[in-house]
PDB file of all heavy atoms in Angstrom:
ATOM      1  N   ALA A  87     157.295  92.046  79.430  1.00  0.00           N
ATOM      2  CA  ALA A  87     157.423  93.492  79.683  1.00  0.00           C
ATOM      3  C   ALA A  87     156.046  94.155  79.613  1.00  0.00           C
ATOM      4  O   ALA A  87     155.677  94.955  80.479  1.00  0.00           O
ATOM      5  CB  ALA A  87     158.366  94.133  78.676  1.00  0.00           C
ATOM      6  N   ALA A  88     155.259  93.782  78.596  1.00  0.00           N
ATOM      7  CA  ALA A  88     153.964  94.436  78.369  1.00  0.00           C
ATOM      8  C   ALA A  88     153.019  94.278  79.559  1.00  0.00           C
ATOM      9  O   ALA A  88     152.192  95.153  79.841  1.00  0.00           O
ATOM     10  CB  ALA A  88     153.310  93.885  77.102  1.00  0.00           C
ATOM     11  N   VAL A  89     153.173  93.166  80.286  1.00  0.00           N
ATOM     12  CA  VAL A  89     152.272  92.898  81.410  1.00  0.00           C
ATOM     13  C   VAL A  89     152.462  93.939  82.534  1.00  0.00           C
ATOM     14  O   VAL A  89     151.610  94.076  83.417  1.00  0.00           O
ATOM     15  CB  VAL A  89     152.474  91.445  81.914  1.00  0.00           C
ATOM     16  CG1 VAL A  89     153.751  91.334  82.734  1.00  0.00           C
ATOM     17  CG2 VAL A  89     151.261  90.938  82.663  1.00  0.00           C
ATOM     18  N   PHE A  90     153.540  94.700  82.451  1.00  0.00           N
ATOM     19  CA  PHE A  90     153.768  95.745  83.454  1.00  0.00           C
ATOM     20  C   PHE A  90     153.136  97.097  83.074  1.00  0.00           C
ATOM     21  O   PHE A  90     153.289  98.070  83.809  1.00  0.00           O
ATOM     22  CB  PHE A  90     155.272  95.930  83.699  1.00  0.00           C
ATOM     23  CG  PHE A  90     155.872  94.826  84.519  1.00  0.00           C
ATOM     24  CD1 PHE A  90     156.453  93.725  83.905  1.00  0.00           C
ATOM     25  CD2 PHE A  90     155.828  94.867  85.903  1.00  0.00           C
ATOM     26  CE1 PHE A  90     156.982  92.687  84.655  1.00  0.00           C
ATOM     27  CE2 PHE A  90     156.362  93.832  86.659  1.00  0.00           C
ATOM     28  CZ  PHE A  90     156.942  92.743  86.039  1.00  0.00           C
ATOM     29  N   THR A  91     152.459  97.148  81.943  1.00  0.00           N
ATOM     30  CA  THR A  91     151.889  98.429  81.502  1.00  0.00           C
ATOM     31  C   THR A  91     150.936  99.007  82.552  1.00  0.00           C
ATOM     32  O   THR A  91     150.998 100.205  82.865  1.00  0.00           O
ATOM     33  CB  THR A  91     151.129  98.262  80.172  1.00  0.00           C
ATOM     34  OG1 THR A  91     151.977  97.602  79.228  1.00  0.00           O
ATOM     35  CG2 THR A  91     150.696  99.606  79.623  1.00  0.00           C
ATOM     36  N   GLU A  92     150.078  98.173  83.090  1.00  0.00           N
ATOM     37  CA  GLU A  92     149.058  98.681  84.021  1.00  0.00           C
ATOM     38  C   GLU A  92     149.680  99.279  85.292  1.00  0.00           C
ATOM     39  O   GLU A  92     149.419 100.445  85.621  1.00  0.00           O
ATOM     40  CB  GLU A  92     148.030  97.576  84.340  1.00  0.00           C
ATOM     41  CG  GLU A  92     146.689  98.094  84.865  1.00  0.00           C
ATOM     42  CD  GLU A  92     146.684  98.442  86.343  1.00  0.00           C
ATOM     43  OE1 GLU A  92     147.537  97.895  87.094  1.00  0.00           O
ATOM     44  OE2 GLU A  92     145.856  99.263  86.763  1.00  0.00           O
ATOM     45  N   PRO A  93     150.528  98.533  86.016  1.00  0.00           N
ATOM     46  CA  PRO A  93     151.130  99.176  87.203  1.00  0.00           C
ATOM     47  C   PRO A  93     152.053 100.344  86.854  1.00  0.00           C
ATOM     48  O   PRO A  93     152.136 101.308  87.612  1.00  0.00           O
ATOM     49  CB  PRO A  93     151.901  98.023  87.875  1.00  0.00           C
ATOM     50  CG  PRO A  93     152.083  96.982  86.817  1.00  0.00           C
ATOM     51  CD  PRO A  93     150.901  97.112  85.907  1.00  0.00           C
ATOM     52  N   LEU A  94     152.712 100.268  85.693  1.00  0.00           N
ATOM     53  CA  LEU A  94     153.573 101.389  85.307  1.00  0.00           C
ATOM     54  C   LEU A  94     152.729 102.639  85.015  1.00  0.00           C
ATOM     55  O   LEU A  94     153.124 103.762  85.348  1.00  0.00           O
ATOM     56  CB  LEU A  94     154.411 101.006  84.080  1.00  0.00           C
ATOM     57  CG  LEU A  94     155.467 102.025  83.650  1.00  0.00           C
ATOM     58  CD1 LEU A  94     156.484 102.292  84.755  1.00  0.00           C
ATOM     59  CD2 LEU A  94     156.175 101.546  82.377  1.00  0.00           C
ATOM     60  N   ALA A  95     151.542 102.425  84.442  1.00  0.00           N
ATOM     61  CA  ALA A  95     150.618 103.543  84.207  1.00  0.00           C
ATOM     62  C   ALA A  95     150.234 104.196  85.543  1.00  0.00           C
ATOM     63  O   ALA A  95     150.133 105.420  85.646  1.00  0.00           O
ATOM     64  CB  ALA A  95     149.381 103.062  83.466  1.00  0.00           C
ATOM     65  N   ALA A  96     150.045 103.362  86.562  1.00  0.00           N
ATOM     66  CA  ALA A  96     149.716 103.894  87.896  1.00  0.00           C
ATOM     67  C   ALA A  96     150.858 104.767  88.425  1.00  0.00           C
ATOM     68  O   ALA A  96     150.630 105.743  89.142  1.00  0.00           O
ATOM     69  CB  ALA A  96     149.413 102.754  88.859  1.00  0.00           C
ATOM     70  N   ALA A  97     152.083 104.403  88.050  1.00  0.00           N
ATOM     71  CA  ALA A  97     153.229 105.244  88.433  1.00  0.00           C
ATOM     72  C   ALA A  97     153.195 106.564  87.664  1.00  0.00           C
ATOM     73  O   ALA A  97     153.398 107.638  88.241  1.00  0.00           O
ATOM     74  CB  ALA A  97     154.534 104.496  88.158  1.00  0.00           C
ATOM     75  N   PHE A  98     152.888 106.507  86.361  1.00  0.00           N
ATOM     76  CA  PHE A  98     152.811 107.732  85.560  1.00  0.00           C
ATOM     77  C   PHE A  98     151.661 108.636  86.005  1.00  0.00           C
ATOM     78  O   PHE A  98     151.684 109.841  85.760  1.00  0.00           O
ATOM     79  CB  PHE A  98     152.687 107.398  84.063  1.00  0.00           C
ATOM     80  CG  PHE A  98     154.011 107.215  83.384  1.00  0.00           C
ATOM     81  CD1 PHE A  98     154.547 105.953  83.200  1.00  0.00           C
ATOM     82  CD2 PHE A  98     154.747 108.321  82.958  1.00  0.00           C
ATOM     83  CE1 PHE A  98     155.790 105.778  82.592  1.00  0.00           C
ATOM     84  CE2 PHE A  98     155.983 108.161  82.349  1.00  0.00           C
ATOM     85  CZ  PHE A  98     156.508 106.881  82.165  1.00  0.00           C
ATOM     86  N   ARG A  99     150.655 108.080  86.628  1.00  0.00           N
ATOM     87  CA  ARG A  99     149.537 108.879  87.136  1.00  0.00           C
ATOM     88  C   ARG A  99     150.035 109.998  88.049  1.00  0.00           C
ATOM     89  O   ARG A  99     149.478 111.100  88.071  1.00  0.00           O
ATOM     90  CB  ARG A  99     148.552 107.974  87.886  1.00  0.00           C
ATOM     91  CG  ARG A  99     147.368 108.690  88.521  1.00  0.00           C
ATOM     92  CD  ARG A  99     146.452 109.306  87.500  1.00  0.00           C
ATOM     93  NE  ARG A  99     145.258 109.917  88.081  1.00  0.00           N
ATOM     94  CZ  ARG A  99     144.661 110.990  87.573  1.00  0.00           C
ATOM     95  NH1 ARG A  99     145.134 111.571  86.473  1.00  0.00           N
ATOM     96  NH2 ARG A  99     143.591 111.487  88.132  1.00  0.00           N
ATOM     97  N   ILE A 100     151.083 109.716  88.803  1.00  0.00           N
ATOM     98  CA  ILE A 100     151.637 110.709  89.730  1.00  0.00           C
ATOM     99  C   ILE A 100     152.031 111.988  88.979  1.00  0.00           C
ATOM    100  O   ILE A 100     151.779 113.096  89.452  1.00  0.00           O
ATOM    101  CB  ILE A 100     152.854 110.115  90.470  1.00  0.00           C
ATOM    102  CG1 ILE A 100     152.397 108.980  91.384  1.00  0.00           C
ATOM    103  CG2 ILE A 100     153.609 111.183  91.262  1.00  0.00           C
ATOM    104  CD1 ILE A 100     153.544 108.165  91.968  1.00  0.00           C
ATOM    105  N   LEU A 101     152.607 111.820  87.781  1.00  0.00           N
ATOM    106  CA  LEU A 101     153.049 112.998  87.015  1.00  0.00           C
ATOM    107  C   LEU A 101     151.868 113.814  86.494  1.00  0.00           C
ATOM    108  O   LEU A 101     152.001 115.010  86.246  1.00  0.00           O
ATOM    109  CB  LEU A 101     153.935 112.560  85.838  1.00  0.00           C
ATOM    110  CG  LEU A 101     155.208 111.785  86.210  1.00  0.00           C
ATOM    111  CD1 LEU A 101     155.981 111.398  84.967  1.00  0.00           C
ATOM    112  CD2 LEU A 101     156.082 112.605  87.146  1.00  0.00           C
ATOM    113  N   GLU A 102     150.716 113.165  86.313  1.00  0.00           N
ATOM    114  CA  GLU A 102     149.512 113.901  85.898  1.00  0.00           C
ATOM    115  C   GLU A 102     148.938 114.722  87.048  1.00  0.00           C
ATOM    116  O   GLU A 102     148.323 115.763  86.841  1.00  0.00           O
ATOM    117  CB  GLU A 102     148.416 112.929  85.430  1.00  0.00           C
ATOM    118  CG  GLU A 102     148.684 112.241  84.118  1.00  0.00           C
ATOM    119  CD  GLU A 102     147.503 111.357  83.689  1.00  0.00           C
ATOM    120  OE1 GLU A 102     146.765 110.844  84.557  1.00  0.00           O
ATOM    121  OE2 GLU A 102     147.326 111.167  82.482  1.00  0.00           O
ATOM    122  N   GLN A 103     149.111 114.227  88.261  1.00  0.00           N
ATOM    123  CA  GLN A 103     148.428 114.837  89.403  1.00  0.00           C
ATOM    124  C   GLN A 103     149.251 115.882  90.132  1.00  0.00           C
ATOM    125  O   GLN A 103     148.709 116.745  90.820  1.00  0.00           O
ATOM    126  CB  GLN A 103     148.017 113.744  90.397  1.00  0.00           C
ATOM    127  CG  GLN A 103     146.974 112.790  89.849  1.00  0.00           C
ATOM    128  CD  GLN A 103     146.659 111.731  90.889  1.00  0.00           C
ATOM    129  OE1 GLN A 103     147.450 110.849  91.146  1.00  0.00           O
ATOM    130  NE2 GLN A 103     145.502 111.844  91.505  1.00  0.00           N
TER     131      GLN A 103
END
Side-chain angles (χ1 to χ4, degrees):
Chain A
V89 76
F90 285 93
T91 309
E92 201 279 337
L94 186 60
F98 273 97
R99 177 65 176 147
I100 293 170
L101 301 179
E102 289 183 331
Q103 294 179 287

